[in-house]
Amino acid sequence: MNEIWLSNTLGKEKQKFTPINPKEVKLYSCGPTVYNYAHIGNLRAYVFADTLKRTLKYNGFNVKHIMNVTDVGHLTSDADQGDDKMVKALKREGKEMNLENMRSIANFYFEAFKTDLEKLNIELPSAFPFASDHIKEDIEMIQTLLQKDFAYKTTDGIYFDTTKDTHYGRLGGIAEDNDHGRIESNTEKKNYRDFALWKFADGTGLGFVAPFGNGFPGWHIECSAMIEKYLGTPIDIHTGGIDHIPVHHNNEIAQTECATGHNLANFWMHNAHITIGEDKMAKSGDNFLTLETLSKNGVHTLAYRYWLLTARYSTRVDYSLDAIKSAQVAYEKLHAHFNSLSNGNGVVNTEYKERFIEAVNNDLDTPKALAIVWELVKDGELNQADRKATLTDFDKVLGLMLGSVIKENIEIPEDVQKLIEERKIARENKDWTKADELRNQIQSKGFEIKD
Ligand code: AMP
Ligand code: ZN
């Protein structure tokens, strides 16, 4: 059995991974807030979780993977202020404020999210529990926290008392004292880091029935409650983007540990952001790119996956269409090469496999794994059937669908369409030099012409 080493935010170091139950790894990923389309930064979080899951499976583990769907309770600010993001979506879409409309918006963006995952060849989790279907579990956990005196009531909700949890903030990044004045506006909170477990319905009357007062669960409680229900704590690995470390994940840990008396997760793993310039790509911002935007720019979604794999999940990457287009050229070459290899009774080459597994087991070193793939591709000493069998094996982790036909409909940009038209005319005029030149120009824009 090969060793797996993973960077653990808890402890801030690479640690050897050993599952709690050798038969099945328990993995949880914070899922999407379904008030809008996922952007390509969000999708990095899920390609990362998928690569992790595929690596665990490649090592012979079964993986039970749960991903929540936040369709209620996520406020526009992490500091328990602002609108609920779903309420904001109702307003944006001009819909009447009621729970049914909230759910229908959630269903719409959830379906769009699932389509994105499928296009990226991300294996779907074992379950996708919706927050609004688990209000009962939230209420039970909040009642436990009230009974154990970890929570208190104010006029606008139920809050977690962070000073009662001596380990609060174990993941790091929590607000410092000097942030106090900036983020605090609720004078009833006992401590500025205390966070809402439940918010009472405001003037709109919108909310769920609860013994301590109708309203909405806080965003953090849904993850703690669903992890308990679907996986049972402690779990092996919890994933999410680095933006979740300071507030959401520290709060998940606090709630679970104080309610259950034990550890939430042995490993916490976080992907770095995709930025545009200096800014994080954000759903609430105007620097927001989706898979559809990429497709309109001639990018195949699996080329986007390939591009993500060229960097470590823990490295911040700046969005660049040119860089993604270069990755697309490499991806198409790899794809074409794979399909040109003759079939046969090939066997997986053990030397390459050993190096590949060592790379991915070293905290998912996908750039190194891709370098090994290219070495293998160019290795003329190895017969074609063996190369093909080995690449097929590696693709279990990479998820690049090397054996499939690239059939996604990419919207062809206007400038490329113009070049195609010009080339057609050149060919009709038997001007082969010009036609070849135009073909090269089209190729440099990431498109291939098949006459
Ligand atoms: P959300 O739908 O906003 O709750 O976010 C879904 C996931 O995407 C979370 O794990 C976030 O941490 C992650 N995320 C958000 N923005 C980015 C970004 N720009 N780059 C990478 N991951 C991100
Ligand atoms: Zn979460």
Side-chain angles (χ1 to χ4, degrees):
M1 178 66 94
N2 293 283
E3 289 187 355
I4 304 176
W5 287 75
L6 302 171
S7 280
N8 192 351
T9 312
L10 204 62
K12 317 261 174 296
E13 59 176 1
K14 230 190 284 180
Q15 295 171 359
K16 188 176 156 192
F17 174 73
T18 315
I20 299 161
N21 171 357
K23 292 217 179 86
E24 188 173 72
V25 175
K26 295 196 269 186
L27 172 67
Y28 183 84
S29 303
C30 287
T33 309
V34 280
Y35 72 112
N36 209 333
Y37 294 105
H39 59 64
I40 59 169
N42 299 133
L43 294 169
R44 182 185 202 195
Y46 305 114
V47 169
F48 151 60
D50 188 53
T51 310
L52 172 64
K53 178 159 97 181
R54 286 169 177 271
T55 300
L56 293 166
K57 286 167 80 171
Y58 194 66
N59 280 272
F61 295 116
N62 289 323
V63 180
K64 184 165 185 193
H65 184 205
I66 302 297
M67 188 186 291
N68 69 307
V69 177
T70 302
D71 63 339
V72 66
H74 191 173
L75 302 185
T76 37
S77 143
D78 277 354
D80 295 330
Q81 287 162 29
D83 270 346
D84 181 304
K85 291 188 179 182
M86 296 303 297
V87 169
K88 208 175 152 197
L90 280 175
K91 286 184 189 160
R92 183 188 65 218
E93 300 191 7
K95 297 215 162 121
E96 201 187 316
M97 292 284 158
N98 59 47
L99 294 177
E100 292 72 39
N101 284 345
M102 224 180 203
R103 182 64 183 233
S104 83
I105 287 188
N107 285 342
F108 175 82
Y109 289 110
F110 173 62
E111 287 306 320
F113 175 70
K114 262 199 331 196
T115 306
D116 285 348
L117 296 192
E118 278 157 19
K119 279 191 186 166
L120 280 164
N121 195 27
I122 291 174
E123 292 178 2
L124 297 187
S126 322
F128 270 125
F130 273 54
S132 65
D133 291 332
H134 297 81
I135 304 296
K136 181 173 121 322
E137 287 78 3
D138 296 341
I139 291 173
E140 278 166 13
M141 194 172 254
I142 296 168
Q143 280 183 313
T144 307
L145 290 168
L146 280 166
Q147 276 153 19
K148 290 189 168 183
D149 204 25
F150 283 110
Y152 59 92
K153 193 171 177 177
T154 71
T155 44
D156 81 335
I158 310 283
Y159 284 81
F160 184 91
D161 186 343
T162 51
T163 56
K164 297 254 170 85
D165 175 9
T166 48
H167 299 295
Y168 184 73
R170 280 204 292 139
L171 284 177
I174 52 172
E176 295 299 333
D177 272 343
N178 53 13
D179 282 338
H180 183 178
R182 190 170 57 79
I183 60 171
E184 193 50 86
S185 71
N186 184 343
T187 49
E188 283 183 76
K189 266 165 66 169
K190 291 186 185 168
N191 314 287
Y192 69 98
R193 288 182 186 138
D194 293 357
F195 56 90
L197 296 166
W198 187 266
K199 282 273 206 163
F200 298 134
D202 55 16
T204 61
L206 200 62
F208 297 92
V209 177
F212 31 71
N214 299 357
F216 287 103
W219 169 39
H220 322 296
I221 197 76
E222 61 165 288
C223 286
S224 289
M226 291 197 265
I227 290 170
E228 215 49 58
K229 173 166 178 179
Y230 289 89
L231 294 169
T233 52
I235 65 167
D236 292 292
I237 311 175
H238 191 309
T239 74
I242 47 165
D243 50 309
H244 284 349
I245 299 173
V247 179
H248 183 52
H249 288 170
N250 274 317
N251 292 353
E252 277 188 35
I253 292 177
Q255 296 163 155
T256 297
E257 295 191 353
C258 294
T260 68
H262 51 74
N263 203 8
L264 196 172
N266 285 350
F267 278 74
W268 285 83
M269 293 182 70
H270 293 99
N271 63 281
H273 283 151
I274 298 225
T275 50
I276 295 202
E278 280 307 300
D279 300 323
K280 164 186 175 255
M281 193 177 290
K283 271 186 195 165
S284 49
D286 49 15
N287 60 355
F288 179 142
L289 295 168
T290 60
L291 280 187
E292 204 188 335
T293 333
L294 287 188
S295 170
K296 282 192 176 139
N297 282 290
V299 176
H300 187 287
T301 46
L302 287 172
Y304 179 61
R305 183 176 178 118
Y306 182 97
W307 180 66
L308 288 176
L309 298 180
T310 61
R312 278 275 271 273
Y313 73 91
S314 47
T315 309
R316 189 183 103 170
V317 284
D318 202 27
Y319 165 78
S320 144
L321 185 58
D322 283 347
I324 300 178
K325 286 266 176 97
S326 308
Q328 172 145 314
V329 173
Y331 172 65
E332 282 173 354
K333 256 194 208 155
L334 178 61
H335 198 275
H337 180 87
F338 179 88
N339 287 296
S340 73
L341 293 172
S342 52
N343 290 319
N345 294 328
V347 289
V348 176
N349 181 278
T350 48
E351 250 170 64
Y352 275 103
K353 184 172 173 111
E354 228 158 78
R355 289 174 56 211
F356 181 85
I357 205 161
E358 198 181 303
V360 291
N361 282 8
N362 177 18
D363 199 23
L364 315 181
D365 191 346
T366 51
K368 191 161 183 189
L370 284 178
I372 294 166
V373 162
W374 281 107
E375 218 185 292
L376 170 66
V377 161
K378 290 178 186 151
D379 189 345
E381 305 270 293
L382 214 63
N383 77 55
Q384 292 205 5
D386 285 2
R387 268 189 275 165
K388 196 162 199 169
T390 312
L391 286 171
T392 304
D393 182 63
F394 293 175
D395 204 30
K396 289 180 195 160
V397 176
L398 304 171
L400 294 169
M401 296 181 84
L402 295 178
S404 71
V405 178
I406 301 183
K407 59 176 185 311
E408 188 176 314
N409 276 336
I410 290 174
E411 223 168 281
I412 302 173
E414 243 173 67
D415 58 334
V416 177
Q417 274 177 14
K418 220 168 130 228
L419 292 172
I420 294 171
E421 214 35 57
E422 279 175 38
R423 184 172 173 273
K424 205 170 133 209
I425 296 166
R427 277 166 64 85
E428 277 163 13
N429 295 337
K430 301 203 169 14
D431 185 349
W432 308 119
T433 319
K434 186 159 185 206
D436 282 351
E437 213 172 83
L438 287 162
R439 173 197 282 272
N440 289 343
Q441 281 186 43
I442 293 164
Q443 262 174 356
S444 72
K445 289 181 181 291
F447 288 85
E448 199 185 340
I449 291 213
K450 290 209 172 84
D451 292 317

